[in-house]
Amino acid sequence: MSSFEDADTEETLTYLQITVYHPGQLNSGIFQSVRFYNRKKLPSSEVLKFGRNSNICHYTFQDRQVSRVQFSLQLFKKFDSSVLSFEIKNMSKKTSLIVNNKELGYLNKIDLPYKCMVRFGDYQFLMEKEDGESLEFFETQFILSPRSLLQESNWPPQEPIPQYGSYSYCSTKSTTPTEMDENQL
């Protein structure tokens, strides 16, 4: 029997590509500690933390505007699924995290879609996931974009998100308040 026959079956890994952009990325060295264009294999139990504290975070940004821990990504497997999914959690008490125009406050988390835009401050992260078979490991790779991801990918601009209800795209000709009788509605 050869070693080829005894070898473990090779499984594909779940892969998360993260394309980043910040308007000051060339001058300020914000991303100097991020290794771009290298795939990194990690155990699926690993919780990825992003922020400015190098003792806690896997990926650090050299910017005082960033929280010590800004956000985290954690793998999980849905009950009725055979593939791994990511959840993203806002870890910043001061800054909301915008995920595809959904605002996450401190400690809020949601499932990360297969392709989404994550933003806070001037930071833009395009996250794209590919499914794999392995439940033991996953891979990440960072790509640095020379242009704004919002313009490049035709993502909708960041709009204020109402706490209750939905967006209202009506316009009024008058900019001053108008008094109305309740029977006029």
Side-chain angles (χ1 to χ4, degrees):
M1 204 174 211
S2 72
S3 63
F4 173 75
E5 293 171 344
D6 292 335
D8 289 336
T9 304
E10 192 171 315
E11 296 178 304
T12 58
L13 301 179
T14 298
Y15 170 66
L16 184 65
Q17 179 177 295
I18 304 170
T19 306
V20 300
Y21 173 79
H22 185 280
Q25 66 194 19
L26 298 177
N27 303 333
S28 62
I30 289 172
F31 298 124
Q32 69 185 4
S33 61
V34 177
R35 295 191 60 198
F36 290 101
Y37 309 105
N38 293 325
R39 283 188 178 224
K40 185 172 183 179
K41 183 177 176 181
L42 299 158
S44 57
S45 60
E46 196 83 23
V47 177
L48 299 181
K49 293 180 181 169
F50 299 74
R52 67 179 158 97
N53 187 331
S54 61
N55 295 324
I56 299 170
C57 297
H58 292 81
Y59 303 105
T60 57
F61 310 121
Q62 309 301 315
D63 183 355
R64 290 184 186 201
Q65 299 296 322
V66 174
S67 293
R68 287 176 186 88
V69 180
Q70 190 72 43
F71 66 93
S72 67
L73 291 173
Q74 183 171 10
L75 275 168
F76 71 99
K77 190 174 94 156
K78 291 182 182 177
F79 182 72
D80 58 349
S81 176
S82 63
V83 297
L84 295 173
S85 297
F86 286 93
E87 70 178 17
I88 185 167
K89 182 192 295 186
N90 184 8
M91 302 296 290
S92 174
K93 292 179 182 177
K94 296 181 179 180
T95 307
S96 291
L97 195 64
I98 309 295
V99 180
N100 279 354
N101 283 338
K102 289 183 182 174
E103 185 174 1
L104 299 181
Y106 176 58
L107 296 181
N108 288 149
K109 65 181 181 178
I110 60 169
D111 293 355
L112 197 66
Y114 276 90
K115 183 176 181 178
C116 69
M117 181 69 66
V118 176
R119 298 175 288 175
F120 66 91
D122 288 333
Y123 289 83
Q124 300 170 14
F125 301 84
L126 176 60
M127 298 192 183
E128 300 173 275
K129 179 190 159 220
E130 292 177 17
D131 287 334
E133 301 159 345
S134 175
L135 298 179
E136 302 297 319
F137 296 96
F138 70 102
E139 288 183 318
T140 61
Q141 182 178 30
F142 281 82
I143 302 204
L144 183 64
S145 175
R147 288 179 293 287
S148 169
L149 297 168
L150 294 173
Q151 295 169 356
E152 191 172 290
S153 302
N154 295 324
W155 287 88
Q158 184 172 345
E159 304 258 350
I161 299 172
Q163 188 168 0
Y164 301 104
S166 59
Y167 291 107
S168 175
Y169 293 107
C170 61
S171 64
T172 58
K173 293 181 182 175
S174 173
T175 58
T176 58
T178 305
E179 198 171 307
M180 295 179 74
D181 186 352
E182 63 186 24
N183 295 329
Q184 289 179 313
L185 298 173

